[in-house]
Amino acid sequence: MALKPIHTFPDPVLREKAKPVTKFNDDLKKLVRDMAETLYAAPGVGLAANQVGVLQQVIVIDVRDQEENINTGLVALINPRIVFAEGEASIDEGCLSVPEERAEVPRFAHVKVEAQDPDGHLMEIDGKGYLAIVLQHEIDHLNGVLFIDHLSPLKRAAIKKRLKKQKLQSANNG
């Protein structure tokens, strides 16, 4: 297993749409293992493949420490898609690719996601509350969408300005 670097805004790979996975093989399983190791090291609750520079529809999530009623452990979803959504929810979201920024994002409170596991078997996740939000956040990544894209233009512009300033400062200090 290997830690992968997490790409941060404004890296263009974060805006690209990931391609469906068609080969369920050892390379895919290695990617899932590497993404899981990267997720835990970050630490985070979800990671999409394009956040580590791989344009394939792969996400890993682990929300077991975030809600009492969820104990799924690590879940890898290949080619995930939301097939049902209802209700409204929002939390103060953050993102490994948008460091040190958080914002309330409107989301669905309940989603059903169809996907495949790393062996290609079909699966469905019925996510409510926090799990539903994490699923939507990570699937957004696969479509080149960041949580800041759901914010008002004013809030989004302020965050982008802070992030660009941080990048400049770290480049000048590095």
Side-chain angles (χ1 to χ4, degrees), residues 59-81:
I59 63 174
V60 293
I61 60 170
D62 188 342
V63 297
R64 69 180 142 199
D65 295 332
Q66 306 300 314
E67 279 194 12
E68 293 174 19
N69 61 341
I70 295 176
N71 192 17
T72 58
L74 181 74
V75 178
L77 300 168
I78 316 302
N79 303 324
R81 62 188 187 97

Side-chain angles (χ1 to χ4, degrees), residues 18-93:
K19 304 218 179 324
V21 171
T22 57
K23 294 181 180 174
F24 293 81
N25 55 24
D26 288 342
D27 290 340
L28 176 63
K29 290 176 184 164
K30 181 182 183 325
L31 173 63
V32 167
R33 286 191 305 271
D34 290 349
M35 287 176 60
E37 184 177 346
T38 303
L39 174 71
Y40 291 133
V45 295
L47 189 67
N50 46 346
Q51 289 180 274
V52 294
V54 178
L55 291 172
Q56 292 185 1
Q57 291 183 11
V58 178
I59 63 174
V60 293
I61 60 170
D62 188 342
V63 297
R64 69 180 142 199
D65 295 332
Q66 306 300 314
E67 279 194 12
E68 293 174 19
N69 61 341
I70 295 176
N71 192 17
T72 58
L74 181 74
V75 178
L77 300 168
I78 316 302
N79 303 324
R81 62 188 187 97
I82 297 171
V83 295
F84 171 83
E86 71 176 1
E88 296 177 14
S90 67
I91 61 166
D92 195 34
E93 283 186 42

Side-chain angles (χ1 to χ4, degrees), residues 48 59 77 80-82 111-114 133-145:
I59 63 174
L77 300 168
R81 62 188 187 97
I82 297 171
V111 297
K112 287 186 182 176
V113 174
E114 287 182 352
I133 290 169
V134 171
L135 287 165
Q136 291 167 83
H137 180 108
E138 298 310 326
I139 290 171
D140 270 358
H141 273 298
L142 298 179
N143 292 306
V145 176

